[in-house]
Amino acid sequence: MPNFILAIDTSCDDTSAAVTVGNTVLSNVVASQVELHKEFGGVFPTVAKQAHKERIAPVVQLALKRAGISPSELSAVAVTQGPGLAPALEVGVEFAKTYAADLKLPLIPVNHIEGHILSVLAKPRTSSSATRAVSKKTTTAVPEMSYPCLSLVISGGHTEFVVVHQPGHYERIGWTVDDAAGEALDKFGRMVDLGYPAGPLVEQFAKLGNPRAFAFPLPMTTTDNFLMSFSGLKTSARRKIEELTAVQPLTKQQIIDLCASFQYAVFHAITYKLNKYLLKRYADPSQPPLFGVWLGGGVAANSTLRKMLRKTVQTYNLDLHVPYSKKLCSDNAAMIGVVGAVHLNENTDTSRSTIERKPNWEVGTL
Ligand code: KG4
Ligand code: ZN
């Protein structure tokens, strides 16, 4: 009997539910709240909580319907416990606790960053009739892969380098000390009136512009670690825009060139630290070689970032692995289901009625 998992993510501004089996995605419903938060220029926590509350039940129902699975066929419920916005997380966790308890199913608490990490392992269903005939092969928790791999999670809330020793065994080796890469792009986007979230529009504009038109500093070059920082870039962009607008309002070409230059600066800061890590690792004979570099998180949808990372990792004969669809990059519950399959057998407690949201949960810790 295949282990169908109902997965739920309400960590930020997307209400999402999915049905997965092993690493196969049978359905993945995402109700975006972008329209609700646009006027605030960012995510407004109480608005997010209310929207999650209104949407969670229909989103779960739709995920089951699209997967062709009835609640009685489920083996477990997986839910994002953290990190994320506390009031938003609470809605998913409380819903999942009640749902799992009612159906006497195990509840698997999942780390959202682990979801982004394992999103590269997700596979689409092969045909619409696959649901009931899911073969034994697809019920395997994770595909055969060689480890360790290096995962890069680049999103609106996080910028992390994590060594994956095995699915479930992680070592955080680098992170941002202030803003996340996506957050920096969003804040920059607001300065040039691109709306929220600005990342996708910055990408479109950047394609038309000159990344060398404006010079931005390369941060954290003197530190002998893999920590990153993006808030200085944001300040530098603000100054540059103030300088330009003191003369005249920004021209369209200036906005386009600012997008290209700022995006390049953010991505260069990431590839610089990635190269620094790989250089150090490959110079150390006690470190096992890596078997690939994985990319996840909302900013992972950006094709320029992918290109720059690919170029960096190819120097070390490594491949860059990305999720099978851009929908798997931004927040979604399917990636939470994939993690659920990894941890399914660790959870023997039937309802886990005591779990609580963990807004600051670091991946790789309990
Ligand atoms: O993973 P995600 O949906 O939410 C978090 O967990 O943070 O990431 C959202 C972030 C936003 O900052 C958004 O601007 C950025 O991902 N983003 C992009 C692109 N698509 C989304 N940034 C750059 N290029 C894109 N194509
Ligand atoms: Zn996320």
Side-chain angles (χ1 to χ4, degrees):
M1 175 71 177
N3 287 319
F4 295 114
I5 293 179
L6 170 69
I8 292 169
D9 184 279
T10 62
S11 59
C12 191
D13 59 346
D14 291 309
T15 315
S16 183
V19 178
T20 54
V21 55
N23 61 325
T24 300
V25 180
L26 300 182
S27 65
N28 188 21
V29 178
V30 180
S32 166
Q33 299 177 10
V34 161
E35 289 305 318
L36 299 178
H37 299 288
K38 251 183 183 156
E39 63 174 298
F40 305 106
V43 181
F44 200 84
T46 48
V47 172
K49 180 177 178 172
Q50 186 55 30
H52 283 312
K53 271 186 167 170
E54 286 164 12
R55 295 163 184 207
I56 184 75
V59 163
V60 163
Q61 219 169 15
L62 187 59
L64 288 164
K65 189 176 166 209
R66 286 194 181 158
I69 293 290
S70 70
S72 62
E73 291 174 284
L74 292 170
S75 296
V77 178
V79 66
T80 298
Q81 192 182 13
L85 269 183
L89 287 166
E90 187 183 310
V91 179
V93 168
E94 291 310 313
F95 183 93
K97 276 191 332 201
T98 309
Y99 198 91
D102 286 353
L103 290 170
K104 299 199 169 29
L105 290 172
L107 180 60
I108 310 166
V110 171
N111 181 294
H112 181 80
I113 302 298
E114 187 174 5
H116 281 304
I117 292 171
L118 297 193
S119 62
V120 297
L121 300 180
K123 295 250 178 315
R125 65 197 290 178
T126 46
S127 80
S128 56
S129 61
T131 309
R132 275 160 215 292
V134 174
S135 72
K136 279 201 179 107
K137 221 164 82 196
T138 58
T139 63
T140 310
V142 282
E144 304 276 316
M145 299 258 319
S146 298
Y147 295 94
C149 294
L150 176 68
S151 171
L152 317 174
V153 175
I154 322 275
S155 73
H158 303 273
T159 305
E160 309 230 342
F161 292 180
V162 180
V163 174
V164 183
H165 293 288
Q166 280 290 323
H169 297 277
Y170 308 102
E171 185 190 349
R172 247 173 125 231
I173 52 126
W175 54 89
T176 175
V177 295
D178 42 52
D179 293 348
E183 187 181 358
L185 291 169
D186 291 340
K187 286 178 176 170
F188 161 78
R190 213 175 303 155
M191 294 178 213
V192 288
D193 282 335
L194 295 188
Y196 173 85
L201 261 185
V202 172
E203 173 174 23
Q204 294 313 315
F205 278 35
K207 278 184 184 152
L208 309 170
N210 174 10
R212 302 195 187 281
F214 298 100
F216 287 103
L218 180 61
M220 307 285 270
T221 48
T222 53
T223 53
D224 189 28
N225 55 34
F226 315 109
L227 299 182
M228 289 159 276
S229 163
F230 299 98
S231 74
L233 284 178
K234 181 190 63 192
T235 311
S236 176
R238 179 168 295 121
R239 280 209 201 101
K240 192 126 323 195
I241 292 166
E242 278 166 5
E243 246 172 65
L244 293 167
T245 50
V247 183
Q248 58 168 48
L250 293 178
T251 63
K252 195 164 176 202
Q253 191 57 46
Q254 280 175 326
I255 293 175
I256 284 170
D257 284 339
L258 278 167
C259 284
S261 304
F262 187 80
Q263 178 183 271
Y264 175 78
V266 170
F267 295 167
H268 187 205
I270 297 168
T271 54
Y272 173 82
K273 285 291 166 140
L274 173 62
N275 188 53
K276 187 170 182 143
Y277 175 71
L278 294 175
L279 200 61
K280 190 168 180 189
R281 185 176 179 112
Y282 279 80
D284 179 355
S286 70
Q287 292 270 15
L290 293 168
F291 286 90
V293 176
W294 298 358
L295 180 63
V299 188
N302 188 294
S303 52
T304 306
L305 175 65
R306 290 180 178 194
K307 217 179 284 167
M308 287 173 69
L309 289 173
R310 229 170 238 131
K311 200 168 160 205
T312 306
V313 304
Q314 273 168 359
T315 319
Y316 299 86
N317 275 331
L318 291 165
D319 286 329
L320 183 75
H321 301 264
V322 297
Y324 73 79
S325 142
K326 288 193 176 173
K327 192 172 174 187
L328 269 286
C329 292
S330 47
D331 287 349
N332 69 90
M335 66 185 192
I336 304 304
V338 173
V339 177
V342 171
H343 296 290
L344 179 63
N345 297 322
E346 295 165 15
N347 292 275
T348 46
D349 184 354
T350 358
S351 70
R352 292 237 166 182
S353 55
T354 53
I355 75 156
E356 297 296 341
R357 66 193 181 179
K358 283 198 211 166
N360 301 313
W361 188 10
E362 261 178 31
V363 72
T365 63
L366 287 177

